[in-house]
Amino acid sequence: MLRVRLTRRGPLWALAVGDRGSVTAASVLSRVPADGVGGAGDDGTAGGAGDDDTAGEAFGKLVAEHAVRSRAALAPEDGAVVRAVWFDAGPDTAGRLLLTVHHLAVDGVSWRILLPDLSAAWDAVRARRTPRLPAVGTSYRRWAEQLTALAQEPERLDELGFWTDMLAVPDAPLGDRPLDARRDTVATARSLSLTLPPQATAPLLTSVPADFRTGVGEVLLAGLTLAVTEWRRRRGHDTAAGVLIDLEGHGRDESLTGADLSRTVGWFTGLHPVRLEADGRQDPAETVKRVKERLLAVPGSGVGHGLLSHLNPQTAMLLHGLAAPQIGFNYLGRFGALGDGDWAPAGDAGVIGGGADDDMAMPHALEINAVSQDGPRGRAWWPPGPGPARSWRRSRSGNWPSCGSRSCGSSPPRRARPDRSVASPPPTCRSSPWNSTTSTCWRPTGPASWTSCRWPRSRRACSSTACWTTGPRTCTTSSSTWTSPVPWTSRRCAPRPPGS
């Protein structure tokens, strides 16, 4: 996909991938002398020898200038989707490599494939060996062909009624007017960025999802549903129809076709609507359960909506013109602390991100992108939204901390009773000091410290704090990995550790 070219025929477009060798490293790589303005430093942060602040600022400015130029140089219709800039800080100082790739060619998961491949290739070149990378399982082209075939299958066609029923009810407007593709563009969009402290996000990433046997994204969606419902209620709007949200995901569901996408680079994404309702009493715990149950009721995790809307001409006509979500939501997941070695994201670069064409129309009146990042400053989430929702954003932004203290993490939903709406394995635990409930296990990591892990909802589930696999039950935390004996035995478990 790094050799992809966008082709257009009037309103129609297609992607064509060039032959191997059609794009060379020399054609996309440029070198910028940076020894006079400070390098990246040994810890990956901007600043040269002695970590001089002035040199660090100059180097950061240099990188930012070339980042703008690199984005401007991308031209997918000319096959230019990759640009690389090497900031050479001299033989004694670590430099910086800036990689800019068009979104048509990569997604967030693709970077986790590309960076290790680049590292392995560089190691091979330094050792005077020919780089040999592992083979790709399913190509992007083959994946696209499989999705087109899936859109015609009876199982997907049977979902049509579900989607038309969901979208038959109009969504109460958020802004003063509908979106206008000519006016509401990336250039006119405005954003609000919030960073929540660790004491607010720790329950969100661990105990709250475990208590409700759900994921972080579902908890965030519950908070969003409560906030929008309350905002509408205060303004006298009808809230009976719930909140219609476009839910975006990674789009790499290998179970659909048995594909192997573990090494496939490209822009994979999934987008489907969901109508969520807050509990009538605005109770956070009950709303989390409602959101979880509503998402579990979506057939095929929502992939059918995209297939029927874009890859089946007959069903696309039936879905066209129905209610469209005004809110887009995407939980990007949890990122570990930035590394300090070669080929790791620079320490001052933050989570890998990018930009967009200023003329691109905004798809939603309000778009929320949430991400959690480990580090000394805790985790952050950024919710940006464009022009038509400016009045909503201004009025809501001032009240957002109260939403956070009520249902968005700093005061998590309380466990009124065990949640049994999703079947889980029976409570199991080893002898003391192992302890367990129906959904959570605790393991002591110190005199007064406990690591919390949870069972998944299904075999393929992997929570942000723990992964469970078949066979030996393996729990991976941010600091360690441990494995239980096989088999585990069910027995009466000790009470939850005090203060845990």
Side-chain angles (χ1 to χ4, degrees):
M1 292 300 290
L2 300 184
R3 304 188 304 272
V4 74
R5 180 186 299 268
L6 174 65
T7 62
R8 298 181 187 271
R9 297 290 185 274
L12 304 178
W13 61 270
L15 299 177
V17 178
D19 297 331
R20 291 187 178 182
S22 58
V23 178
T24 64
S27 66
V28 301
L29 176 65
S30 59
R31 174 185 171 274
V32 175
D35 52 340
V37 291
D42 294 336
D43 60 353
T45 58
D51 194 24
D52 180 77
D53 291 340
T54 303
E57 292 177 2
F59 182 75
K61 183 178 180 180
L62 181 67
V63 173
E65 290 175 352
H66 281 273
V68 173
R69 297 179 188 177
S70 295
R71 287 197 296 267
L74 298 181
E77 293 184 68
D78 297 328
V81 297
V82 182
R83 284 294 178 266
V85 181
W86 166 242
F87 297 92
D88 189 349
D92 301 323
T93 306
R96 181 77 60 87
L97 178 65
L98 172 67
L99 294 173
T100 307
V101 185
H102 199 283
H103 204 345
L104 278 175
V106 295
D107 57 9
V109 177
S110 297
W111 286 108
R112 301 177 185 179
I113 302 170
L114 289 173
L115 295 183
D117 279 0
L118 285 170
S119 178
W122 174 242
D123 289 342
V125 170
R126 293 180 65 182
R128 300 184 182 277
R129 293 183 283 105
T130 300
R132 298 187 184 280
L133 302 176
V136 174
T138 301
S139 69
Y140 195 82
R141 181 195 300 273
R142 179 58 183 154
W143 174 250
E145 293 171 346
Q146 290 174 338
L147 292 183
T148 302
L150 282 176
Q152 324 304 321
E153 292 186 351
E155 180 182 357
R156 297 302 166 196
L157 297 177
D158 290 342
E159 297 179 10
L160 183 60
F162 176 88
W163 299 114
T164 54
D165 289 346
M166 177 191 294
L167 301 176
V169 180
D171 194 34
L174 283 179
D176 301 329
R177 57 175 175 79
L179 279 176
D180 186 335
R182 295 171 299 180
R183 297 172 59 183
D184 303 315
T185 63
V186 170
T188 62
R190 298 297 180 266
S191 64
L192 171 68
S193 299
L194 296 177
T195 300
L196 301 182
Q199 60 267 30
T201 56
L204 171 66
L205 298 173
T206 54
S207 59
V208 174
D211 290 343
F212 291 91
R213 303 183 195 175
T214 190
V216 176
E218 286 86 342
V219 179
L220 286 173
L221 280 170
L224 174 61
T225 302
L226 285 167
V228 176
T229 301
E230 178 66 13
W231 181 86
R232 283 175 167 168
R233 185 190 64 79
R234 291 182 180 181
R235 284 154 182 77
H237 297 168
D238 184 14
T239 61
V243 182
L244 192 60
I245 300 173
D246 255 343
L247 187 58
E248 186 172 356
H250 56 72
R252 292 176 178 252
D253 193 345
E254 298 177 339
S255 64
L256 291 173
T257 63
D260 177 10
L261 304 174
S262 60
R263 287 193 44 75
T264 306
V265 171
W267 185 9
F268 294 79
T269 188
L271 186 70
H272 69 87
V274 62
R275 193 179 292 273
L276 303 176
E277 300 173 357
D279 174 70
R281 299 166 299 169
Q282 288 289 87
D283 181 77
E286 291 301 320
T287 301
V288 171
K289 293 180 181 180
R290 285 193 176 200
V291 168
K292 180 185 70 172
E293 291 167 358
R294 183 58 60 90
L295 294 179
L296 287 174
V298 174
S301 300
V303 68
H305 181 268
L307 298 176
L308 298 175
S309 298
H310 303 290
L311 298 180
N312 187 315
Q314 293 179 311
T315 56
M317 290 189 297
L318 298 175
L319 291 170
H320 179 72
L322 298 179
Q326 301 171 83
I327 301 175
F329 177 86
N330 186 13
Y331 175 55
L332 300 172
R334 184 175 182 176
F335 291 78
L338 297 175
D340 57 2
D342 291 343
W343 300 102
D348 58 344
V351 175
I352 295 177
D357 191 322
D358 284 345
D359 294 331
M360 186 175 72
M362 295 297 296
H364 303 100
L366 179 69
E367 291 200 332
I368 298 177
N369 293 305
V371 63
S372 57
Q373 182 176 351
D374 295 342
R377 291 181 297 177
R379 290 93 184 180
W381 63 311
W382 295 273
R390 285 176 188 169
S391 61
W392 191 93
R393 189 187 66 255
R394 282 196 297 265
S395 61
R396 188 63 235 163
S397 62
N399 296 328
W400 200 283
S402 63
C403 166
S405 62
R406 179 175 184 180
S407 60
C408 298
S410 60
S411 180
R414 297 181 180 272
R415 287 184 299 174
R417 58 184 180 274
D419 181 11
R420 305 186 185 280
S421 57
V422 180
S424 295
T428 57
C429 61
R430 203 181 171 193
S431 58
S432 183
W434 293 78
N435 303 275
S436 169
T437 68
T438 54
S439 61
T440 307
C441 295
W442 288 275
R443 181 201 183 201
T445 58
S449 176
W450 293 78
T451 297
S452 175
C453 305
R454 70 183 178 90
W455 292 98
R457 294 185 304 180
S458 63
R459 288 183 180 179
R460 66 182 178 86
C462 175
S463 75
S464 60
T465 56
C467 289
W468 295 91
T469 60
T470 57
R473 304 294 184 182
T474 302
C475 174
T476 303
T477 70
S478 60
S479 59
S480 62
T481 299
W482 44 273
T483 305
S484 74
V486 180
W488 278 21
T489 57
S490 297
R491 63 181 65 185
R492 184 176 181 83
C493 297
R496 181 173 179 174
S500 63

